C-alpha cells in the first residue's frame, strides 16, 4: 500500500520536475490547501513508514505486514483525506512549488538521520 503510494508520489515528482513550469513562485497557495509544513511532515512520515515496512523492522511474517505496518500519516496528523488529495492535486499543477515541498521533505529526513547518527556513534565511544 505505502510502496504504491510512495512510487506514485516519486514518479509524479519526477514527471512534473521535468516539465517546464508556468507557475509563478509569487502565487499564493489558496487558503483551503493544506499548509506546507503539514504536507512536508506527512510526506516525510510516508517515506519513513515505507522504509520501516521495507526493512521489516519488527521482523514479522510477510503475510502480516499490512496489519503490523498500518501507518497512516494523514490520519495521525488530523488531516482529512480530501485535504491531502486537494493539496497533492494543487501541487501537481504547480511543479516548482511541489519540488520545493519535496526538497524540504528530503531536508527533514536528513535532519532525522543526523539526529540518530550521534546516538549510534556514542555507544561505540564507551
Amino acid at each position: 500500500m505505502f510502496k504504491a503510494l510512495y512510487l506514485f508520489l516519486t514518479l509524479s515528482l519526477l514527471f512534473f520536475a521535468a516539465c517546464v513550469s508556468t507557475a509563478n513562485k509569487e502565487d499564493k497557495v489558496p487558503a483551503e490547501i493544506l499548509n506546507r509544513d503539514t504536507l512536508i511532515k506527512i510526506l516525510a512520515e510516508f517515506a519513513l513508514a515505507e522504509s520501516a515496512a521495507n526493512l521489516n523492522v519488527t521482523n514479522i511474517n510477510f503475510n502480516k505486514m499490512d496489519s503490523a505496518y498500518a501507518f497512516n500519516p494523514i490520519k495521525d496528523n488530523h488531516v482529512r483525506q480530501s485535504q491531502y488529495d486537494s493539496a497533492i492535486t494543487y501541487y501537481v499543477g504547480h511543479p516548482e512549488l511541489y519540488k520545493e515541498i519535496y526538497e524540504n521533505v528530503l531536508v527533514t529526513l536528513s535532519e532525522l538521520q543526523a539526529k540518530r547518527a550521534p546516538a549510534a556513534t556514542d555507544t561505540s565511544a564507551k
Side-chain angles (χ1 to χ4, degrees), residues 78-94:
H78 309 289
V79 171
R80 292 185 314 274
Q81 184 69 43
S82 61
Q83 288 176 295
Y84 175 77
D85 293 343
S86 294
I88 295 300
T89 300
Y90 175 81
Y91 285 109
V92 162
H94 298 83

Side-chain angles (χ1 to χ4, degrees), residues 3 26 29 34 37 52-53 58 70-71 75 88-89 100 109 122:
K3 194 171 198 174
E26 300 301 317
V29 177
L34 198 59
D37 293 336
T58 59
F71 302 109
K75 184 178 179 182
I88 295 300
T89 300
E100 289 177 22
L109 294 171
D122 285 346

Side-chain angles (χ1 to χ4, degrees), residues 35-84:
N35 88 40
R36 260 178 109 242
D37 293 336
T38 302
L39 184 58
I40 290 166
K41 184 177 179 189
I42 289 171
L43 293 175
E45 289 176 7
F46 269 126
L48 292 171
E50 175 70 18
S51 294
N54 283 335
L55 292 172
N56 195 7
V57 294
T58 59
N59 199 23
I60 61 159
N61 184 315
F62 179 76
N63 295 330
K64 297 180 182 179
M65 298 236 347
D66 282 347
S67 60
Y69 294 107
F71 302 109
N72 190 343
I74 296 170
K75 184 178 179 182
D76 295 344
N77 285 285
H78 309 289
V79 171
R80 292 185 314 274
Q81 184 69 43
S82 61
Q83 288 176 295
Y84 175 77

